Amino acid sequence: MYDYLPTPAVVIELAQMEENIRKMTEAAAGYQIKVRPHIKPHKSVEIARLQLRMGCSGITCAKLGEAEVMAKGGIDDILIAFPLIGQEKMQRLKILSRKARVITIVNSEEGARQLSETFQNSPDKIEVLIEVDGGINRGGKKPYEPTLEFARQIAGLPGIDIKGILYYGGTIYGETDREGFEKTSAREREEMLGTARMLENAGFHMEILSGGNSYSSKMPWLLEGITEIRPGHYLFNDVGQLMSGFAKEQECALRVTASVVSIVDERHAIIDAGSKTLTTDICARKEGYGYVVGRPDITISKLNEEHGFIESEGRLGLEIGDKIAVIPNHACVVPNLAEEVYGIRNGKLDHLIRIDARGKNR
């Protein structure tokens, strides 16, 4: 598999990625939900444009630096799902807002004040969503009354326009079975719609109810009523999705191909992909640092920076120079470690894909 590629190499199966995008947008559309995907799994202008062509309504960026790269690439509807703090970021945001429609989030009076001071004399207000905590205590306001109280505190600030709420139900990643995934998704909908109704009754216009994650977004019938979802690695899938039953092996479009560079014994060998390629992210549902395609008996048991330690339940059956394909535990962090990734179609190299926003973490 991918025998013609130099290793280690990050590979995208293009047809499968496109199918994953299509399935998400079509399923969400059936419940009148827009898809505004996170670009942090791929950080590629090319892939972001593909997502928009295939029906996504805009994009989500984790950081301002990513948004700047995407806007330079011609993308003009961007949500920055991270609180921006400090005058340096305020000035960059102001410049960016002249190039694209930009929405950002607020979760503190200080952050809202800084946005207000930056945009109060601008011809257009900055659109903001109030961040609502989905249970992981990562900065948002608690649902219902705390969110309403915060909205009232910032409502009179000039220069900002409250467009709705943003919710991230991160506790879902701790669930272990389908019942848990569904229960957590249903709670997401309940808390979002309940909070939005409370704000509406208090006079706030809730145009945007932004939620969803890479699990709940695959169950849009449980999110009906919200306006948009922000899935990330749905276009690739990974070991987390595979082991939880939300993806099949062939639906995992992102792989890392690696070569065997040393044989330790009949059950142990070394590959040329370590932590600087696969990352040290783990998956609670599977031991090791990735899933070897077609070889569930192999475990990637340890990583050094450039070395991967693999072992098998029985005889490994590999020789030096053989190549394996690995589905990463967490797809979102792997492309950021590469300048380019290989786009494969029908078993052949189609083209190289540039990771334009690589390292843009500020």
Side-chain angles (χ1 to χ4, degrees):
M1 185 178 292
Y2 316 124
D3 287 344
Y4 50 90
L5 295 179
T7 60
V10 181
V11 174
I12 297 174
E13 289 285 352
L14 297 173
Q16 185 60 60
M17 177 180 70
E18 292 160 4
E19 175 65 9
N20 293 344
I21 296 170
R22 183 194 64 77
K23 286 175 62 177
M24 178 65 72
T25 53
E26 289 186 358
Y31 296 89
Q32 291 75 54
I33 299 173
K34 297 177 181 179
V35 180
R36 181 189 285 276
H38 252 294
I39 60 87
K40 64 180 180 178
H42 57 77
K43 294 199 171 192
S44 163
V45 170
E46 175 187 330
I47 295 177
R49 288 173 178 165
L50 172 67
Q51 290 174 302
L52 294 174
R53 288 198 304 271
M54 294 188 69
C56 295
S57 62
I59 66 168
T60 302
C61 293
K63 292 296 182 71
L64 181 56
E66 293 176 347
E68 290 168 333
V69 171
M70 294 294 134
K72 186 177 180 180
I75 294 172
D76 60 3
D77 194 334
I78 303 171
L79 166 64
I80 303 174
F82 198 90
L84 301 177
I85 300 294
Q87 288 309 305
E88 184 264 348
K89 287 187 172 58
M90 291 297 114
Q91 293 309 308
R92 287 166 60 195
L93 177 64
K94 191 171 184 179
I95 293 170
L96 180 64
S97 69
R98 298 174 187 145
K99 302 175 182 177
R101 181 201 181 192
V102 181
I103 311 169
T104 189
I105 68 170
V106 289
N107 59 21
S108 69
E109 288 186 67
E110 176 61 21
R113 183 187 62 78
Q114 290 183 18
L115 289 169
S116 174
E117 291 175 353
T118 302
F119 287 91
Q120 61 184 344
N121 295 320
S122 298
D124 297 310
K125 295 180 178 181
I126 183 69
E127 296 178 326
V128 300
L129 304 179
I130 296 174
E131 184 182 11
V132 180
D133 176 49
I136 61 173
N137 299 313
R138 203 172 68 175
K141 299 299 178 182
K142 298 298 181 185
Y144 305 113
E145 289 86 356
T147 298
L148 174 59
E149 180 182 353
F150 176 66
R152 285 172 168 159
Q153 289 169 349
I154 67 172
L157 292 174
I160 65 174
D161 183 9
I162 300 172
K163 303 294 286 187
I165 58 176
L166 177 143
Y167 183 105
Y168 175 61
T171 62
I172 200 168
Y173 291 90
E175 298 297 337
T176 58
D177 56 30
R178 190 77 179 197
E179 182 180 0
F181 287 118
E182 292 179 354
K183 182 178 179 180
T184 304
S185 299
R187 184 173 68 243
E188 175 180 351
R189 176 183 183 273
E190 177 184 347
E191 291 185 343
M192 287 191 70
L193 295 186
T195 301
R197 280 194 297 269
M198 186 173 285
L199 287 161
E200 289 271 8
N201 291 338
F204 293 93
H205 178 52
M206 294 285 102
E207 178 182 330
I208 300 172
L209 305 182
S210 183
N213 53 66
S214 290
Y215 288 101
S216 66
S217 293
K218 290 188 172 182
M219 299 177 286
W221 55 92
L222 295 177
L223 299 178
E224 189 172 11
I226 74 172
T227 66
E228 69 176 30
I229 50 177
R230 309 183 313 278
H233 54 70
Y234 77 98
L235 79 167
F236 294 146
N237 291 312
D238 56 18
V239 173
Q241 295 280 327
L242 181 65
M243 293 295 109
S244 58
F246 282 87
K248 299 176 182 178
E249 182 179 302
Q250 65 269 23
E251 294 174 315
C252 296
L254 182 77
R255 284 102 184 275
V256 172
T257 182
S259 295
V260 176
V261 295
S262 179
I263 300 293
V264 179
D265 57 40
E266 67 175 13
R267 292 185 52 245
H268 299 83
I270 306 296
I271 58 174
D272 60 356
S275 63
K276 288 184 175 179
T277 302
L278 291 169
T279 84
T280 55
D281 279 20
I282 60 174
C283 176
R285 300 174 187 88
K286 186 186 184 305
E287 181 183 0
Y289 296 94
Y291 177 93
V292 180
V293 176
R295 289 294 302 270
D297 60 308
I298 294 179
T299 299
I300 304 173
S301 58
K302 178 182 175 181
L303 297 178
N304 292 157
E305 290 182 63
E306 308 295 351
H307 299 74
F309 294 69
I310 66 173
E311 59 183 66
S312 63
E313 298 169 0
R315 187 173 178 275
L316 192 57
L318 294 174
E319 298 179 358
I320 290 177
D322 286 347
K323 294 182 180 180
I324 61 173
V326 181
I327 297 170
N329 280 343
H330 186 193
C332 291
V333 288
V334 171
N336 188 54
L337 300 177
E339 292 181 348
E340 296 175 320
V341 301
Y342 294 84
I344 305 298
R345 192 180 297 276
N346 298 323
K348 298 180 180 179
L349 175 62
D350 190 86
H351 67 289
L352 291 172
I353 300 170
R354 182 170 177 78
I355 309 304
D356 307 274
R358 180 190 184 200
K360 298 297 184 180
N361 299 325
R362 290 197 303 243

